């Protein structure tokens, strides 16, 4: 838990906001945001409550910072060239694959984002940004339909929900350091997802890029 | 909230354990189990705390009953003929399709089950039963590999996780009463999932049964 404490008890770890954020997100995921008090955060971080308030005015401000980190990373993917240029199916493959990579790279922050239910202004704000991201995915699925790649009769909105559900569920079980690299997992998940929503006899979705 | 109260305040609603369970599960989903007190449950149910204790000895007993309901419904699917007999891919299609139908039919209970993190004996028990169910799905995915249906190079365990992730994520957004029936959703989701894990040039997965 207190990685930064080291072997002895002589010095308190020096906290920067990022390290405090990391500990707080662990606690939020473990106990639930609502059920975590600032006193518990302080204890987990090995800090006094006043030290936490030095960095963040409130528990909700910590949540906001953590959710921003996940959302900013996801929205950055939308700006990548691979998500903006080329045929819709290739852009969708890029978007799904990079979303999985971001999920793995920012695992605790994205996990927290995916558990947000809208119980505060900050949660409602995060849900609205998530919906915005999901809409961009849905638009891309709809665009693949217009090029004949989508399987017949599949509603693009439903296709997008199923794809995002599959991708997001990776946060429930993936643990870094296992045999499966983030890049390999991302390629497989994007390919399975795209193949799933593609026409059974239509053109195959783009394969993973050669490396 | 208090559906059973009706227009007036003359009579308290008559509670049976199932109705109390329903209200409790709503609260657990809305606030989180940890963050919900027996006092809050009593208030939401329009009952005194002692009336709740009349039905359930503890909050954890309520959780146990709710999770049992979801788990029993899921395990019953494994016993259905369609999940036991026939080629592996057809059994897997049955299992996925019926899992979605159970998820929709028992939506609050399955949603609660999917949010369990193992913070109590009851949660650990539920997680273990979920793992058992997931293993049965993974075995069936592995069996489809042995018949050459699974796409080349896809680890059956990963395939099962992606399928289950897609199916389970439906609990995040599906609301009964919309334009999409449970049966249609279940057919589409099972078909998209199976097609996704199938070989791109292998035999097509079985379609939905004709009705």
């Amino acid at each position: 838990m207190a990685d930064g404490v080291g072997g002895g008890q002589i010095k308190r770890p020096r906290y920067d906001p990022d390290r405090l954020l990391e500990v707080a997100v662990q606690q939020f995921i473990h106990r639930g945001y609502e059920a975590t008090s600032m006193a518990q955060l302080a204890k987990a971080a090995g800090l006094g409550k006043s030290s936490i308030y030095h960095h963040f005015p409130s528990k909700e401000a910590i949540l906001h910072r953590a959710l921003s980190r996940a959302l900013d990373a996801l929205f950055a993917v939308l700006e990548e060239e691979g998500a903006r240029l080329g045929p819709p199916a290739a852009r969708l493959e890029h978007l799904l694959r990079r979303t999985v990579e971001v999920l793995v790279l920012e695992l605790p922050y994205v996990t927290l984002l995916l558990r947000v239910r809208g119980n505060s202004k900050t949660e409602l704000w995060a849900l609205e940004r998530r919906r915005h991201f999901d809409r961009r995915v849905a638009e891309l699925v709809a665009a693949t339909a217009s090029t004949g790649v989508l399987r017949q009769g599949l509603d693009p909105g439903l296709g997008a929900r199923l794809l995002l559900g599959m991708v997001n569920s990776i946060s429930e079980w993936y643990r870094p350091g296992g045999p499966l690299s983030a890049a390999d997992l991302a390629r497989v998940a994007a390919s399975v997802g795209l193949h799933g929503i593609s026409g059974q006899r239509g053109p195959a979705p783009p394969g993973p890029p050669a490396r």
Side-chain angles (χ1 to χ4, degrees), chain A residues 151-163:
Chain A
R151 65 191 297 157
Q152 272 201 326
L154 177 60
D155 174 72
L158 176 56
R161 282 184 190 278
L162 294 174
L163 284 179

Side-chain angles (χ1 to χ4, degrees), chain A residues 23-163:
Chain A
V23 172
V25 168
Q26 281 169 0
Q27 294 291 311
F28 292 161
I29 290 172
H30 178 66
R31 299 176 196 266
Y33 171 73
E34 304 285 338
T36 306
S37 68
M38 282 294 252
Q40 286 166 327
L41 286 186
K43 195 177 168 199
L47 289 174
K49 268 170 77 172
S50 62
S51 304
I52 294 192
Y53 283 115
H54 174 71
H55 293 298
F56 294 101
S58 64
K59 191 173 79 161
E60 199 167 337
I62 303 177
L63 181 68
H64 185 271
R65 177 83 74 95
L67 297 175
S68 292
R69 181 161 159 169
L71 286 160
D72 290 350
L74 289 169
F75 273 87
V77 170
L78 293 172
E79 301 309 316
E80 290 173 359
E81 202 172 283
R84 289 187 295 109
L85 305 176
R91 285 155 57 201
L92 184 57
E93 193 275 339
H94 180 94
L95 184 50
L96 292 174
R97 184 167 45 76
R98 290 284 300 134
T99 296
V100 174
E101 288 179 356
V102 163
L103 181 150
V104 168
L105 191 69
E106 302 285 354
L107 190 58
Y109 302 94
V110 177
T111 301
L112 188 65
L113 175 66
L114 295 172
R115 294 196 189 168
V116 154
R117 305 289 167 215
N119 293 328
S120 65
K121 268 192 186 174
T122 296
E123 295 197 18
L124 289 169
W125 161 86
L127 279 182
E128 181 49 41
R129 282 195 76 189
R130 249 193 89 186
R131 269 193 290 270
H132 185 166
F133 183 85
D134 292 358
R135 269 199 300 274
R136 295 287 295 271
V137 176
E139 283 163 13
L140 213 37
V141 172
T144 68
S146 71
T147 61
V149 173
L150 199 68
R151 65 191 297 157
Q152 272 201 326
L154 177 60
D155 174 72
L158 176 56
R161 282 184 190 278
L162 294 174
L163 284 179

